[in-house]
Amino acid sequence: MERNGTRIAAVMAEVRSKIASRTYLPGTRLPSVRAQARALRLSVSTVVEAYERLAAEGAIASRPGSGFYVAGPAAPLALTEIGPRLDREVDPLWVSRQALETGAGALKPGCGWLPASWMYEAGIRRALRALARADTLELAEYATPLGHPALRRFLSRRLAATGVEAAPEQILLTESGTQAIDLICRYLLEPGDTVLVDDPCYFNFHALLKAHRAHVVGVPYTPAGPDLERFEAAVQAHAPRLYITNSGIHNPTGAALSPVVAHRLLKIAEAAGLAIVEDDIFADFETAPAPRLAAFDGLARVVHIGSFSKTVSAALRCGYVAAPAGWVEGLADLKIATSFGGGRLAAEAVLTALTDAGYRRHMESVRLRLAEAMDTTLSRLEALGIRPWLRPQAGMFAWCRLPEGSDAAAIARSCLKDGVILAPGNAFSQSHSAGDFLRFNVAQSGDRRVFEVLARAIDGQG
C-alpha cells in the first residue's frame, strides 16, 4: 500500500506541475488513463486513483464518457515548476530571493551588487535635490516612448568612447537591464526557440529565459570567451535565434572577451543569422576596455544593453538598449504595451549623477577598492583551499573552485543558517557542471566572519 501510495502521489505531482507551469491550461483534456499509465509505466488503477484524488481536490474535473479536464482559472505562473525541478537551493530565483529578502545583518558574499556604502551616494543626493526644484512636467508627466532625450544623447556619446556607434534614435531607455533583455526576448522569441548562453552565465538569464519558454543551450566559457568549437557545434545542432552574453567583465567568471574570439564569434553568428545580446552592465568597473561585439558589428545583429544599478544606485531603476535602427520602434511599442511610460524621474536623476563632476573620481576610488578587495578575498579563500578559476583583472566577482569533494549547494545551505548568503555554482550553469564552484563578490567579502562560517561548513563536509 505504501509503494502504491507513493506512485499515486507521483502521478498527482506530475499533473500539478504541468498545471502550475501552464503546460495544461484550464479546459485542457488530460491524457487518458491508459495513455498516462503507459507513459509513466504504472498500472491503470494507480492513474485512476490519482485522477480521482485530483478531481476531489478540484484541480481537475471528470466528464463522463470524455475523460478528465483541467478545472478552474489558470494557475499563477510558477517558474520553479517549469521543466525538471532541480535542487531548490541552487535555483537562480532562490539565490536572488535570499540576497534581496534578508535583513541588514546578513553577510552577502554571494550577491551581485556593491555594498550601499560603496555607491555614489553624494551624487545621488545632489541629483535628488536638483529634481526637487524641477518643473511640474519633470515631476509628474510620463516619459516619451524612447525615454529621456538628454540621457539618450549622453549615452550615445558614452558608447562612442567604446567604439559602439549608436545614434540617440537607436537607444531606448528601460527600467533596468533585465527589462531590456525581457523586451528583446519578447521582440525576437517564440516559445520553444533556442537561445545560447555561456556556461556559466549570470543566473537571472536562466530565470528570464525560462519565463519566455525558451529552449536554453549552454556553451562552455573559457578565459577568452565562449568555446568557439562548441559554440559553432551548438549553432549547427540547434539553429538558435539568440545568444546572450556579457561584454567587458563576464559574470560570474570575471573573464574578458579576447579580440580574436570576438571576431570569430561574429563570423559564426553572421553565417547563421544569429542575433546577439551583450550585457555591458559592468563597463565602469573596467581598468582597460575589453572588445565590444557591438563595436565590431556596428549594431547590425548585436544588441548592446546596460544599466546603472551597479555603480550609481539600484534604487533608481534605469537601463537602456542600443539596437539596430529597424528594431527600435518595435521595442518601443513593446515597452509601452508592458510598462507604458518609462521612469522619467529616474532617468533625470541618473543623468545628473553621471554628469556630476564627482562621478569619475568616485569610480576611480571604487576600482581601487575592488582591486584591494580582490587581493584580500582571494588570499583568504586560498587559505581555505578555495582556488580562483582565473584571477580577474577588474570587477567584483571571483569564480572559485572548492576543495575536492565539496558540494557548493550543501555548503551554501549550511552557511545560510549562520547568516552568510553564498551563490552556488550550479545556479549559473545550464549543464549543472559547476557543483563545486561558488561565485564570490569581493566587495561583500570584507567581514572575516564570512571565512569563519565558510571554513566550518567545509570542515563539516569532510
Side-chain angles (χ1 to χ4, degrees):
M1 179 64 185
E2 182 179 344
R3 179 178 295 179
N4 193 45
T6 301
R7 291 170 177 170
I8 292 168
V11 177
M12 295 174 70
E14 170 75 5
V15 174
R16 288 195 196 103
S17 173
K18 290 186 175 179
I19 293 173
S21 66
R22 298 182 184 177
T23 303
Y24 292 162
L25 292 170
T28 300
R29 184 178 183 274
L30 269 62
S32 70
V33 168
R34 293 186 182 280
Q36 190 77 282
R38 284 196 300 271
L40 299 178
R41 297 182 180 179
L42 296 172
S43 69
V44 169
S45 62
T46 297
V47 176
V48 168
E49 182 62 22
Y51 278 14
E52 291 293 346
R53 293 186 187 184
L54 288 166
E57 291 179 358
I60 65 176
S62 172
R63 298 182 189 175
S66 180
F68 289 86
Y69 292 77
V70 178
L77 179 59
L79 294 182
T80 57
E81 299 294 342
I82 299 176
R85 189 175 169 85
L86 305 170
D87 181 351
R88 188 68 178 95
E89 281 68 21
V90 301
D91 181 273
L93 296 173
W94 181 91
V95 176
S96 299
R97 290 179 71 94
Q98 295 298 333
L100 289 168
E101 290 179 349
T102 51
L107 302 175
K108 302 180 181 182
C111 82
W113 53 87
L114 296 177
S117 61
W118 289 41
M119 301 298 274
Y120 191 36
E121 182 180 350
I124 297 165
R125 290 188 183 281
R126 284 193 290 270
L128 292 176
R129 285 195 294 270
L131 272 174
R133 299 189 295 270
D135 62 36
T136 304
L137 287 178
E138 291 296 330
L139 294 173
E141 279 285 356
Y142 288 113
T144 58
L146 295 188
H148 198 292
L151 179 54
R152 290 188 290 109
R153 289 192 294 271
F154 171 81
L155 290 172
S156 178
R157 295 191 298 271
R158 175 185 165 98
L159 289 171
T162 63
V164 179
E165 298 293 335
E169 295 74 25
Q170 287 180 265
I171 297 173
L172 171 74
L173 299 187
T174 62
E175 299 298 300
S176 64
T178 299
Q179 190 199 26
I181 298 175
D182 182 52
L183 289 174
I184 294 162
C185 289
R186 291 175 188 271
Y187 185 72
L188 291 179
L189 300 180
E190 296 290 339
D193 282 349
T194 296
V195 178
L196 300 186
V197 298
D198 300 323
D199 193 350
C201 72
Y202 172 42
F203 52 64
N204 209 44
F205 291 167
H206 295 302
L208 184 57
L209 291 170
K210 183 182 287 188
H212 281 280
R213 309 292 204 279
H215 173 228
V216 183
V217 174
V219 176
Y221 204 76
T222 79
D227 181 318
L228 290 176
E229 184 176 339
R230 300 282 290 275
F231 188 93
E232 189 165 24
V235 168
Q236 293 173 352
H238 300 284
R241 186 83 174 91
L242 187 65
Y243 167 51
I244 302 178
T245 188
N246 291 118
S247 59
I249 300 167
H250 184 258
N251 183 6
T253 66
L257 186 68
S258 78
V260 171
V261 172
H263 280 292
R264 291 181 61 194
L265 179 67
L266 286 171
K267 286 185 179 180
I268 296 170
E270 182 178 9
L274 176 66
I276 298 174
V277 173
E278 65 172 352
D279 180 357
D280 200 17
I281 195 170
F282 301 110
D284 284 355
F285 295 118
E286 284 184 299
T287 52
R292 271 24 180 207
L293 293 169
F296 292 153
D297 172 72
L299 289 180
R301 67 179 60 260
V302 177
V303 185
H304 191 86
I305 72 167
S307 84
F308 309 98
S309 61
K310 307 300 183 185
T311 56
V312 178
S313 169
L316 292 172
R317 306 302 289 155
C318 185
Y320 65 89
V321 178
W327 294 20
V328 175
E329 287 302 310
L331 290 169
D333 286 346
L334 283 169
K335 175 185 167 185
I336 293 170
T338 56
S339 64
F340 204 69
R344 185 167 185 157
L345 283 173
E348 181 64 41
V350 165
L351 176 62
T352 302
L354 290 172
T355 55
D356 186 281
Y359 181 71
R360 180 179 59 81
R361 293 191 298 273
H362 165 73
M363 287 310 304
E364 287 176 353
S365 172
V366 168
R367 288 191 288 270
L368 179 60
R369 293 178 75 178
L370 283 173
E372 293 172 348
M374 184 68 72
D375 288 342
T376 301
T377 301
L378 293 183
S379 176
R380 289 174 173 174
L381 290 173
E382 287 175 3
L384 301 179
I386 301 173
R387 305 266 188 268
W389 181 71
L390 59 74
R391 191 177 188 89
Q393 298 303 305
M396 68 179 85
F397 298 132
W399 182 240
C400 297
R401 187 187 295 273
L402 293 164
E404 186 175 356
S406 298
D407 180 342
I411 287 174
R413 289 194 298 272
S414 175
C415 290
L416 184 61
K417 297 174 185 175
D418 291 317
V420 175
I421 299 167
L422 297 174
N426 275 344
F428 302 86
S429 174
Q430 179 65 22
S431 63
H432 298 96
S433 58
D436 56 347
F437 276 83
L438 289 168
R439 186 195 71 179
F440 288 92
N441 179 343
V442 300
Q444 297 275 6
S445 300
D447 194 312
R448 287 188 175 274
R449 288 177 295 167
V450 169
F451 305 95
E452 293 167 1
V453 170
L454 188 55
R456 288 198 298 271
I458 293 172
D459 289 343
Q461 285 200 331

